[in-house]
Protein backbone atom coordinates (compact mmCIF):
# COMPACT_ATOMS: atom_id res chain seq x y z
CA UNK A 1 0.00 0.00 0.00
CA UNK A 2 1.46 3.34 -1.08
CA UNK A 3 1.54 6.28 1.30
CA UNK A 4 2.30 8.70 -1.53
CA UNK A 5 -0.24 11.50 -1.82
CA UNK A 6 -2.84 11.02 -4.52
CA UNK A 7 -2.38 13.18 -7.59
CA UNK A 8 -5.59 15.17 -8.03
CA UNK A 9 -6.22 17.00 -11.31
CA UNK A 10 -8.71 19.86 -10.95
CA UNK A 11 -10.11 20.61 -14.40
CA UNK A 12 -11.54 24.11 -14.96
CA UNK A 13 -13.78 23.45 -17.94
CA UNK A 14 -15.22 26.80 -19.00
CA UNK A 15 -13.42 28.76 -21.71
CA UNK A 16 -16.19 31.33 -22.22
CA UNK A 17 -15.33 35.03 -22.24
CA UNK A 18 -16.00 36.52 -18.80
CA UNK A 19 -16.09 33.05 -17.23
CA UNK A 20 -16.45 32.51 -13.50
CA UNK A 21 -14.79 29.09 -13.47
CA UNK A 22 -11.31 30.18 -12.35
CA UNK A 23 -12.77 31.71 -9.17
CA UNK A 24 -14.56 28.48 -8.26
CA UNK A 25 -11.65 26.31 -9.41
CA UNK A 26 -9.00 28.17 -7.44
CA UNK A 27 -11.13 28.14 -4.31
CA UNK A 28 -11.64 24.38 -4.60
CA UNK A 29 -7.97 23.75 -5.39
CA UNK A 30 -7.13 25.72 -2.24
CA UNK A 31 -9.35 23.41 -0.21
CA UNK A 32 -7.62 20.37 -1.71
CA UNK A 33 -4.13 21.80 -1.12
CA UNK A 34 -4.81 21.91 2.62
CA UNK A 35 -4.75 18.11 2.70
CA UNK A 36 -1.56 16.11 3.14
CA UNK A 37 -2.99 13.13 1.24
CA UNK A 38 -3.29 15.07 -2.05
CA UNK A 39 -1.11 16.92 -4.52
CA UNK A 40 -3.06 19.25 -6.80
CA UNK A 41 -2.64 20.05 -10.47
CA UNK A 42 -5.06 22.67 -11.89
CA UNK A 43 -5.75 22.13 -15.59
CA UNK A 44 -7.48 25.19 -17.05
CA UNK A 45 -8.96 24.29 -20.43
CA UNK A 46 -8.60 27.91 -21.55
CA UNK A 47 -4.87 27.10 -21.76
CA UNK A 48 -5.38 24.01 -23.97
CA UNK A 49 -6.98 24.54 -27.36
CA UNK A 50 -8.25 21.09 -28.33
CA UNK A 51 -10.22 21.03 -31.58
CA UNK A 52 -13.66 19.49 -31.95
CA UNK A 53 -12.59 17.34 -34.92
CA UNK A 54 -11.03 14.12 -33.61
CA UNK A 55 -8.27 12.44 -35.58
CA UNK A 56 -6.01 9.39 -35.32
CA UNK A 57 -3.34 11.57 -36.96
CA UNK A 58 -3.59 14.96 -35.24
CA UNK A 59 -2.00 18.00 -36.79
CA UNK A 60 1.27 19.25 -35.28
CA UNK A 61 -0.64 22.04 -33.50
CA UNK A 62 -3.12 19.56 -31.99
CA UNK A 63 -0.33 17.11 -31.10
CA UNK A 64 1.43 19.92 -29.24
CA UNK A 65 -1.77 20.81 -27.35
CA UNK A 66 -2.27 17.15 -26.44
CA UNK A 67 1.34 16.81 -25.29
CA UNK A 68 0.69 19.57 -22.76
CA UNK A 69 -2.44 18.05 -21.23
CA UNK A 70 -2.45 14.27 -21.88
CA UNK A 71 0.50 13.40 -19.58
CA UNK A 72 -1.10 15.37 -16.76
CA UNK A 73 -4.32 13.38 -17.11
CA UNK A 74 -2.33 10.13 -17.30
CA UNK A 75 -0.42 10.93 -14.10
CA UNK A 76 -3.56 11.86 -12.14
CA UNK A 77 -5.01 9.37 -9.68
CA UNK A 78 -8.29 11.29 -9.40
CA UNK A 79 -10.12 14.18 -11.04
CA UNK A 80 -12.41 17.00 -10.04
CA UNK A 81 -14.27 18.68 -12.88
CA UNK A 82 -15.26 22.28 -12.21
CA UNK A 83 -18.16 22.93 -14.55
CA UNK A 84 -20.82 25.50 -15.24
CA UNK A 85 -24.12 24.64 -16.85
CA UNK A 86 -24.55 25.84 -20.42
CA UNK A 87 -27.99 25.21 -21.92
CA UNK A 88 -28.70 22.35 -19.47
CA UNK A 89 -25.38 20.70 -20.24
CA UNK A 90 -21.62 21.07 -19.80
CA UNK A 91 -19.14 23.07 -21.93
CA UNK A 92 -18.01 21.78 -25.31
CA UNK A 93 -14.40 22.35 -24.23
CA UNK A 94 -14.84 19.64 -21.60
CA UNK A 95 -16.37 17.21 -24.10
CA UNK A 96 -13.39 17.79 -26.38
CA UNK A 97 -10.99 16.99 -23.52
CA UNK A 98 -12.91 13.83 -22.66
CA UNK A 99 -13.17 12.65 -26.25
CA UNK A 100 -9.49 13.18 -27.07
CA UNK A 101 -8.60 10.82 -24.20
CA UNK A 102 -9.64 7.35 -23.11
CA UNK A 103 -7.10 5.36 -21.13
CA UNK A 104 -6.28 8.38 -18.98
CA UNK A 105 -9.73 8.22 -17.33
CA UNK A 106 -9.97 4.46 -16.82
CA UNK A 107 -10.39 3.06 -13.32
CA UNK A 108 -10.04 6.49 -11.70
CA UNK A 109 -12.53 8.50 -9.64
CA UNK A 110 -14.11 11.73 -10.85
CA UNK A 111 -15.77 14.30 -8.63
CA UNK A 112 -17.66 17.45 -9.57
CA UNK A 113 -17.79 21.06 -8.48
CA UNK A 114 -20.63 22.79 -10.31
CA UNK A 115 -21.86 26.33 -10.47
CA UNK A 116 -24.51 28.33 -12.23
CA UNK A 117 -27.88 29.95 -11.72
CA UNK A 118 -30.76 28.40 -9.81
CA UNK A 119 -29.74 24.84 -10.64
CA UNK A 120 -26.15 25.38 -9.55
CA UNK A 121 -24.83 23.46 -12.53
CA UNK A 122 -26.27 20.17 -11.31
CA UNK A 123 -27.87 19.34 -14.67
CA UNK A 124 -24.39 19.48 -16.23
CA UNK A 125 -23.15 17.03 -13.59
CA UNK A 126 -26.00 14.62 -14.28
CA UNK A 127 -25.08 14.61 -17.97
CA UNK A 128 -21.40 14.05 -17.18
CA UNK A 129 -21.97 10.94 -15.06
CA UNK A 130 -22.89 8.60 -17.97
CA UNK A 131 -20.15 10.13 -20.14
CA UNK A 132 -17.51 9.27 -17.54
CA UNK A 133 -19.06 5.82 -17.02
CA UNK A 134 -18.43 5.21 -20.71
CA UNK A 135 -14.77 6.12 -20.07
CA UNK A 136 -14.67 3.43 -17.33
CA UNK A 137 -14.26 6.10 -14.65
CA UNK A 138 -16.05 6.05 -11.29
CA UNK A 139 -17.99 9.18 -10.36
CA UNK A 140 -18.41 9.93 -6.68
CA UNK A 141 -21.85 10.68 -5.38
CA UNK A 142 -21.45 13.96 -3.50
CA UNK A 143 -20.99 17.25 -5.35
CA UNK A 144 -20.01 20.77 -4.38
CA UNK A 145 -22.58 23.05 -6.02
CA UNK A 146 -22.88 26.84 -6.09
CA UNK A 147 -26.34 28.17 -6.93
CA UNK A 148 -26.28 31.76 -8.24
CA UNK A 149 -22.52 31.41 -7.91
CA UNK A 150 -21.58 35.02 -8.61
CA UNK A 151 -23.53 36.00 -5.46
CA UNK A 152 -21.83 33.31 -3.35
CA UNK A 153 -18.28 34.66 -3.69
CA UNK A 154 -16.74 37.87 -2.44
CA UNK A 155 -14.23 40.00 -4.32
CA UNK A 156 -11.44 38.08 -2.55
CA UNK A 157 -12.44 34.92 -4.48
CA UNK A 158 -13.71 33.14 -1.37
CA UNK A 159 -17.27 32.13 -0.55
CA UNK A 160 -19.16 34.72 1.45
CA UNK A 161 -20.20 31.95 3.86
CA UNK A 162 -17.36 29.43 3.79
CA UNK A 163 -18.81 26.90 6.24
CA UNK A 164 -21.25 25.15 3.87
CA UNK A 165 -18.97 24.97 0.82
CA UNK A 166 -15.93 23.95 2.90
CA UNK A 167 -17.92 21.13 4.50
CA UNK A 168 -19.16 19.95 1.10
CA UNK A 169 -15.60 20.10 -0.27
CA UNK A 170 -14.34 17.97 2.61
CA UNK A 171 -16.98 15.30 1.95
CA UNK A 172 -16.13 15.24 -1.76
CA UNK A 173 -12.38 15.12 -1.12
CA UNK A 174 -12.78 12.35 1.47
CA UNK A 175 -14.72 10.26 -1.06
CA UNK A 176 -12.18 10.96 -3.80
CA UNK A 177 -9.31 10.04 -1.49
CA UNK A 178 -10.96 6.72 -0.62
CA UNK A 179 -11.77 5.80 -4.21
CA UNK A 180 -8.46 7.16 -5.47
CA UNK A 181 -6.48 5.05 -3.01
CA UNK A 182 -8.45 1.86 -3.66
CA UNK A 183 -8.35 2.25 -7.44
CA UNK A 184 -4.65 3.18 -7.51
CA UNK A 185 -3.83 0.04 -5.53
CA UNK A 186 -6.08 -2.00 -7.81
CA UNK A 187 -4.42 -0.67 -10.97
CA UNK A 188 -1.01 -1.42 -9.48
CA UNK A 189 -1.93 -5.06 -8.71
CA UNK A 190 -4.12 -5.89 -11.69
CA UNK A 191 -4.18 -4.49 -15.20
CA UNK A 192 -7.60 -2.95 -15.79
CA UNK A 193 -9.46 -4.60 -18.66
CA UNK A 194 -11.76 -2.23 -20.55
Amino acid sequence: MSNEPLRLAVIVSSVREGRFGPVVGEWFAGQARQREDLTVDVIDLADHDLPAALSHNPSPKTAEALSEVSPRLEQADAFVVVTPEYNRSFPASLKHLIDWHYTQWRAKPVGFVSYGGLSGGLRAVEQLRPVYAEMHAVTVRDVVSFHTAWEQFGEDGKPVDESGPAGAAKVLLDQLAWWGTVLREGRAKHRYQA
Side-chain angles (χ1 to χ4, degrees), residues 18-183:
R19 66 200 177 117
F20 196 68
V23 173
V24 179
E26 281 304 317
W27 170 79
F28 184 80
Q31 297 294 301
R33 287 184 184 114
Q34 294 176 26
R35 298 175 62 113
E36 294 181 5
D37 58 344
L38 300 172
T39 60
V40 180
D41 178 19
V42 176
I43 301 172
D44 188 337
L45 296 188
D47 299 332
H48 305 283
D49 188 20
L50 297 176
L54 300 176
S55 171
H56 292 292
N57 298 305
S59 70
K61 180 181 177 185
T62 300
E64 182 179 346
L66 288 168
S67 73
E68 294 171 1
V69 71
S70 299
R72 294 165 72 183
L73 297 177
E74 184 68 41
Q75 293 167 2
D77 295 307
F79 305 97
V80 167
V81 174
V82 179
T83 186
E85 181 179 313
Y86 293 164
N87 304 317
R88 291 182 173 258
S89 190
F90 52 91
S93 54
L94 179 57
K95 188 68 164 84
H96 298 161
L97 179 75
I98 294 168
D99 289 348
W100 273 105
H101 299 90
Y102 182 65
T103 60
Q104 292 84 356
W105 308 113
R106 285 195 304 201
K108 296 179 183 179
V110 180
F112 302 101
V113 175
S114 66
Y115 62 96
L118 293 177
S119 71
L122 292 174
R123 292 178 290 212
V125 170
E126 290 311 308
Q127 290 199 7
L128 282 165
R129 289 187 188 282
V131 173
Y132 274 107
E134 188 67 19
M135 299 292 106
H136 292 258
V138 176
T139 60
V140 299
R141 181 191 177 279
D142 288 276
V143 175
V144 179
S145 179
F146 291 98
H147 303 259
T148 59
W150 46 93
E151 296 175 8
Q152 304 303 318
F153 285 80
E155 290 189 20
D156 61 357
K158 296 180 181 174
V160 176
D161 177 9
E162 184 111 21
S163 60
K170 181 184 182 322
V171 169
L172 174 59
L173 290 166
D174 285 347
Q175 290 177 1
L176 276 172
W178 189 91
W179 278 105
T181 300
V182 169
L183 292 173

Side-chain angles (χ1 to χ4, degrees), residues 103 106-108 136 181-194:
T103 60
R106 285 195 304 201
K108 296 179 183 179
H136 292 258
T181 300
V182 169
L183 292 173
R184 179 173 67 182
E185 290 173 9
R187 290 191 314 274
K189 291 179 183 177
H190 307 285
R191 185 172 177 269
Y192 182 78
Q193 300 292 323

